[in-house]
Amino acid sequence: MFRDSDLFRHLSGETDDGQTEVATHAAGPEGMLPLTETMLREWSSGDLFGLSQNAGMGWNPSETANDAYLILSTQGGLREPDGSPLALGFHTGHWEIVLQARAAAERFRELGAVPFAVAVSDPCDGRTQGTTGMFDSLPYRNDAAVVLRRLARSLPRRKGLLGVATCDKGLPAMMLALAGLKHLPGVIVPGGVTLPPTQGEDAGKIQTIGARFTHGELTLLEAADLGCRACATPGGGCQFLGTAATAQVVAEAFGLALPHTALCPSGSSLWLELARRSARAVVEHARAGRTTGDLITPASLRNVMTVHAAFGGSTNLLIHVPAIAFAAGVPRPSVEDWRAVNLATPRLVSVLPNGPRHHPTVRVFLAGGVPEVMVHLRELGLLDESVLTATGEPLGRLLDWWPTSQRRKRLRDRLFESDGIDPDEVILPPARARAEGLTPTVAFPTGNLAPEGSVIKSTAIDPSVVDADEVYRKTGPARVFVRERDAVAAIKRGDIRAGDVIVLMGRGPMGTGMEEIYQITSALKHLSFGKHVAVLTDARFSGVSTGACVGHIGPEALAGGPLGKVREGDWIRVEIDRRRLVGRLDLIGSAETGAVDSEIGSRLLEQRCPHPDLSPDPDLPDDTRLWAALQAVSGGAWGGCVYDVEAILNQLGGPLPIPVAAHRGQPASISTAG
């Protein structure tokens, strides 16, 4: 079996000469546990054994019963003492946060507490774009939140929780975990952002090098050089206001993170200090009896939605914010709630990818970050100032302090000194934002192709293809695909032309786990004709996606949605009103009839069967199929893709009955009949 006998001897341990001196006992830690008669009489055996474990791991035995605090993180990779990699993580967003966890642990210890630390690492949506790894992306969020909550409950004597996370799914999972443990104190430590290269491209644009090279818009040497430098520092989330950065903003707006901690550059002294301050905040919450249930309320949810609109945040948060609300027991916002907030809220932040000036997220932090935006929103009467913040003080007091704070002055001055940028060019006062034509971010089209609605980041449509009345209008032939890779291949071959409407169907929760299709949107953005192509899909988009790209179309094609009945060459009309934040996606004719009207299109849809090639992706994991089924009966994508246990049990026929034998203490198998 083993042709190389030396290899066999090595792998089987036969060559481990001199390594057989194995100890069979040890003296154990010196000292005594701080036990009392009351502890021995009243504590559970598990609580008492936990003290033995604490001493066994090397903690001072006399301090093993001090108040315990749990640090939950998404850290990944193994670092050498000098910071160089021994084993890589999946992304910069979780590579450095072990340093924040360490800083927080040191602060807990200084405060006389016993810190514990565990991790549930997270995937990278950029790394899995265009691969089957994307099928696990959104489902991971639910799984991670479950595991994080289980870990927290597995340390029964913890007084509070500190969640350290950065990126697209890890940070939403962490917020879901803390929200679901609403009886405990909890604070989020945002993992910050990576810096852009001094000369080069950001981490969003760099993901288009394949498409640009194929079309002759980039040389091999240029691609290799630019790709090497895109992630200019080793830690933090991407430099644009994508899902990771928006999630950090949301954590702070909810009051789960301390003021002005979102978007801090990873590895900086400020970034380490915010972890230390956050540890102190959790201890103060515990002493005051404050919990995450006091922070996540209907009022703070409304503030979060308002801040999201003012930033122009990722549309993925339209999935994550309802999920956080649901976990906290707060009513989930409806599509109409989102539309109303976006109509009432001006966009104030000029940042990648929305523009109009494409500043990286570190400049948003230096310009004042979330507090600066909230001060402007308060002036417009759009915030509830009574909500609590992670400081334990009401939001109103925080906003009173911020405008005259030394922190604000120093960092805004730093932005001007280092980059020559006026901070008010990054976070615009409302009057300046109006004068510069910043429009609201998210629109919600309906129509005969989207009877349950859809989402588009309308502000990211190229202004040159928007009419003077701020309405985007396109009528074009459908180019139908049921696999993302086929659509990308068509773009690279030059088969997609200006005026086409790409229809990518069957990529919602039931088809792929609701994958992101950034490959398509990014390729179009950075191709000269891309602004003249529209995309309609039941999948979702990366937070850095731009263009006339409509996602979250419901019902999804595999659930019988009309999108799944579109055929190659059909005529589709797209209208997006960027002021009123509404629009329509309509089939208006077939290849045979030509473009007619939506009434004809509706009749065609009624007469048709689903597309013959429509099916779940053959590589869809069973784990994701289960997630898709559970979230579908729990409110679907518009409900946050959550697990609503009561709804699931009702779908199964009601709560699981307890057999009579079990009441008598006898063994019994669980039956679902009844």
Side-chain angles (χ1 to χ4, degrees), residues 578-597:
R578 302 206 307 173
R579 285 182 180 152
R580 297 176 55 240
L581 306 184
V582 294
R584 289 193 63 86
L585 313 174
D586 287 312
L587 181 70
I588 60 171
S590 66
E592 292 75 27
T593 66
V596 187
D597 56 36

Side-chain angles (χ1 to χ4, degrees), residues 577-636:
D577 189 323
R578 302 206 307 173
R579 285 182 180 152
R580 297 176 55 240
L581 306 184
V582 294
R584 289 193 63 86
L585 313 174
D586 287 312
L587 181 70
I588 60 171
S590 66
E592 292 75 27
T593 66
V596 187
D597 56 36
S598 60
E599 187 175 338
I600 290 292
S602 295
R603 286 205 291 269
L604 286 170
L605 292 170
E606 290 173 4
Q607 296 164 4
R608 286 178 177 172
C609 296
H611 194 286
D613 296 334
L614 183 63
S615 66
D617 195 287
D619 294 321
L620 188 67
D622 285 345
D623 297 333
T624 301
R625 291 177 60 211
L626 177 60
W627 166 85
L630 296 178
Q631 66 84 35
V633 298
S634 303

Side-chain angles (χ1 to χ4, degrees), residues 187-538:
V187 170
I188 292 286
V189 177
V193 299
T194 190
L195 297 181
T198 305
Q199 298 292 329
E201 296 181 349
D202 68 84
K205 186 173 183 179
I206 206 64
Q207 295 180 50
T208 69
I209 54 178
R212 286 185 287 155
F213 172 77
T214 302
H215 281 263
E217 299 186 8
L218 203 64
T219 68
L220 176 60
L221 184 62
E222 289 170 334
D225 175 52
L226 292 169
C228 183
R229 289 183 282 114
C231 300
T233 48
C238 294
Q239 308 106 331
F240 47 81
L241 190 71
T243 306
T246 307
Q248 294 184 37
V249 168
V250 161
E252 187 175 331
F254 256 130
L256 291 172
L258 285 172
H260 201 228
T261 54
L263 313 181
C264 184
S266 180
S268 66
S269 58
L270 284 172
W271 178 81
L272 285 173
E273 181 56 30
L274 74 87
R276 297 187 185 98
R277 290 189 287 113
S278 298
R280 173 68 183 275
V282 178
V283 172
E284 294 302 322
H285 282 336
R287 289 172 177 169
R290 286 188 299 270
T291 70
T292 56
D294 298 317
L295 302 175
I296 304 176
T297 65
S300 67
L301 172 63
R302 180 81 178 191
N303 284 354
V304 163
M305 296 166 68
T306 301
V307 171
H308 176 275
F311 266 82
S314 164
T315 56
N316 281 321
L317 272 295
L318 274 66
I319 297 175
H320 300 317
V321 168
I324 296 165
F326 179 79
V330 172
R332 289 175 277 185
S334 66
V335 177
E336 187 51 43
D337 292 333
W338 282 107
R339 178 173 174 270
V341 167
N342 275 266
L343 273 174
T345 308
R347 182 164 63 95
L348 303 176
V349 182
S350 184
V351 64
L352 282 164
N354 299 335
R357 298 178 182 88
H358 295 98
H359 296 293
T361 43
V362 63
R363 288 181 181 170
V364 179
F365 174 77
L366 292 172
V370 174
E372 189 75 13
V373 171
M374 293 185 97
V375 165
H376 292 313
L377 294 173
R378 175 170 74 164
E379 293 169 355
L380 298 173
L382 295 175
L383 295 178
D384 187 324
E385 300 177 46
S386 67
V387 300
L388 286 178
T389 67
T391 66
E393 296 291 339
L395 177 62
R397 181 172 180 184
L398 163 66
L399 299 184
D400 288 340
W401 159 77
W402 178 254
T404 58
S405 70
Q406 285 300 305
R407 180 184 180 90
R408 176 182 185 269
K409 182 180 186 307
R410 287 196 303 268
L411 293 177
R412 284 167 65 90
D413 287 349
R414 173 63 179 161
L415 175 58
F416 185 79
E417 293 163 2
S418 62
D419 291 6
I421 298 295
D422 175 4
D424 286 347
E425 178 187 303
V426 182
I427 298 176
L428 289 72
R432 183 168 177 175
R434 280 194 304 273
E436 297 197 13
L438 271 71
T439 57
T441 303
V442 183
F444 303 91
T446 55
N448 65 25
L449 291 176
E452 290 183 358
S454 62
V455 174
I456 180 171
K457 190 185 279 189
S458 54
T459 192
I461 301 174
D462 192 300
S464 67
V465 296
V466 178
D467 293 340
D469 59 357
E470 286 295 334
V471 177
Y472 168 82
R473 296 177 174 89
K474 172 169 286 300
T475 298
R479 303 302 310 279
V480 177
F481 302 93
V482 297
R483 300 287 183 264
E484 183 194 17
R485 62 178 176 269
D486 295 335
V488 173
I491 293 171
K492 290 184 175 181
R493 286 195 308 267
D495 292 348
I496 301 299
R497 298 176 178 83
D500 286 346
V501 178
I502 294 176
V503 175
L504 181 62
M505 61 175 68
R507 312 309 282 180
M510 296 172 65
T512 65
M514 205 174 187
E515 66 179 353
E516 284 185 0
I517 59 164
Y518 179 59
Q519 273 199 122
I520 294 175
T521 60
S522 62
L524 291 173
K525 175 181 179 180
H526 297 291
L527 295 175
S528 55
F529 65 88
K531 65 184 179 182
H532 299 292
V533 177
V535 179
L536 309 185
T537 184
D538 48 8

Side-chain angles (χ1 to χ4, degrees), residues 90 99 344 476 643:
F90 288 179
L99 302 178
Y643 298 153

